[in-house]
Amino acid sequence: MPASTFQSYITDMKCALDLLDRYGTLQKMSSGSAEIDSLIDGVQENSFYLFYSNRENHLILDSLLYRQLIGCILPKSAKKNGFESAAIFLNNIDLSSDKNKHQLLNPEKIAIASKYAGIEPKIVSKNLFVQTAYNSEHQVSIADEVADKIESNSDIKLLAIRDLTKFVVKERDASDDANTLKKTLGILYRACTKHKVAIVATGDCNGTSNGIIPKPIGGTYLKHIANIIVHVKPIFWSTTNNGNTASPYVSFKASMIKHPYQRTPKSVNFYARRIGKRTNPMLFILD
């Protein structure tokens, strides 16, 4: 973000009553989990949410992101709690290291998650725009394209970013990778803020000792620009005596480490249902 833009945010003083009135007009959708909703107060337009975890827990983050995409397209009714709008999915993938290169967006997973949420997959597909970045420089270029799409389509109310920090090398937050990420986020954040588009992103975390919530990678800028930051990790996998998983459900812990008006840290436990093989599921469904 340019210094002049950042300074305007600081010096543009607002009346508290005006801010309260503005907050009351913002739309809010469910995350798909009552427990996560109680933690973050739902997903609100014009806010930036970062969910992060260790690399081996990418499946629960992907499943969570799929659910947000579908939630954006769900009706605004009290039962569905959606945005009833269009969404953009920005995927970040490294073709030199990632497996399943042909599945940049898995239509089967989108279809399954859609059916569990009570909406036809075709309706989701018609209201979903997809872009993919393959390296940090390409990520900046794609950010410009996504910003242009948001500018030209007022129906878009959600930008879902998979693996936002994919191209940032761990423990090197002051590197050129982090600076490029900062440029990418500046482009996307300005467009989304202008048009009241919610951002929900997933990312990786740094290693840490036991008992301490790890920090997300991506540098200080990411930690400041994200409004709500949540760390997700599995609690346990239920198994039988022979080592096979006994229950289709897995328990996770979501720990909120940043929120603009709630006390942190704050945690909740939530359950997700395995879809596919129980020892190697293809998707988690939030309940």
Side-chain angles (χ1 to χ4, degrees):
M1 182 183 298
S4 58
T5 304
F6 182 71
Q7 187 177 10
S8 68
Y9 285 145
I10 297 176
T11 58
D12 189 13
M13 189 175 295
K14 302 288 186 181
C15 172
L17 183 59
D18 292 339
L19 291 174
L20 182 62
D21 291 340
R22 178 179 159 187
Y23 175 79
T25 63
L26 293 175
Q27 295 185 61
K28 190 184 299 182
M29 75 172 186
S30 171
S31 66
S33 165
E35 290 78 14
I36 295 178
D37 284 344
S38 70
L39 180 70
I40 66 174
D41 194 24
V43 175
Q44 182 176 281
E45 64 180 9
N46 210 33
S47 292
F48 182 179
Y49 300 78
L50 174 66
F51 293 88
Y52 71 102
S53 188
N54 295 327
R55 177 61 55 181
E56 56 266 27
N57 298 325
H58 70 93
L59 184 58
I60 184 59
L61 296 182
D62 285 355
S63 301
L64 180 64
L65 202 62
Y66 282 166
R67 182 58 179 80
Q68 307 320 299
L69 287 168
I70 293 160
C72 178
I73 299 165
L74 286 172
K76 295 179 182 178
S77 65
K79 185 176 181 180
K80 296 298 184 182
N81 292 315
F83 277 160
E84 202 168 334
S85 302
I88 296 180
F89 177 69
L90 172 54
N91 189 16
N92 296 284
I93 183 170
D94 186 350
L95 292 179
S96 65
S97 61
D98 288 337
K99 298 179 180 179
N100 299 323
K101 301 179 180 62
H102 60 290
Q103 293 182 347
L104 301 185
L105 177 67
N106 192 313
E108 183 181 3
K109 291 183 179 182
I110 287 288
I112 292 172
S114 300
K115 290 179 179 178
Y116 272 93
I119 186 172
E120 283 296 319
K122 287 185 178 180
I123 296 177
V124 173
S125 299
K126 288 179 180 178
N127 291 280
L128 179 59
F129 303 96
V130 182
Q131 268 290 14
T132 304
Y134 300 106
N135 55 53
S136 58
E137 291 77 16
H138 190 220
Q139 195 179 48
V140 176
S141 175
I142 292 300
D144 283 323
E145 294 182 20
V146 170
D148 289 342
K149 188 67 177 179
I150 292 172
E151 287 280 354
S152 63
N153 190 336
S154 60
D155 289 334
I156 295 171
K157 286 299 176 185
L158 175 70
L159 169 60
I161 309 175
R162 178 183 178 271
D163 218 348
L164 171 64
T165 54
K166 177 69 180 179
F167 308 117
V168 178
V169 178
K170 288 185 180 181
E171 312 298 348
R172 216 178 71 190
D173 287 354
S175 68
D176 290 340
D177 295 335
N179 291 330
T180 305
L181 175 64
K182 180 178 177 180
K183 186 175 181 180
T184 297
L185 283 174
I187 295 169
L188 297 174
Y189 187 79
R190 284 193 295 273
C192 290
T193 300
K194 179 180 178 180
H195 296 280
K196 295 184 179 180
V197 174
I199 304 174
V200 179
T202 62
D204 204 355
C205 63
N206 286 314
T208 186
S209 58
N210 293 332
I212 301 176
I213 299 175
K215 296 180 180 180
I217 66 169
T220 303
Y221 182 77
L222 174 58
K223 298 182 185 73
H224 281 295
I225 198 172
N227 302 109
I228 294 92
I229 302 178
V230 179
H231 175 253
V232 180
K233 71 173 183 178
I235 298 177
F236 65 86
W237 293 65
S238 178
T239 59
T240 60
N241 291 332
N242 60 8
N244 295 324
T245 52
S247 170
Y249 290 92
V250 179
S251 178
F252 293 90
K253 182 177 183 179
S255 301
M256 182 171 64
I257 64 171
K258 182 184 177 182
H259 197 282
Y261 56 82
Q262 291 193 39
R263 192 173 181 178
T264 59
K266 181 180 177 183
S267 301
V268 296
N269 295 344
F270 68 96
Y271 287 91
R273 186 186 313 178
R274 302 180 185 92
I275 300 297
K277 296 179 180 178
R278 292 188 179 180
T279 55
N280 187 25
M282 65 173 291
L283 184 69
F284 285 113
I285 298 297
L286 302 181
D287 285 324

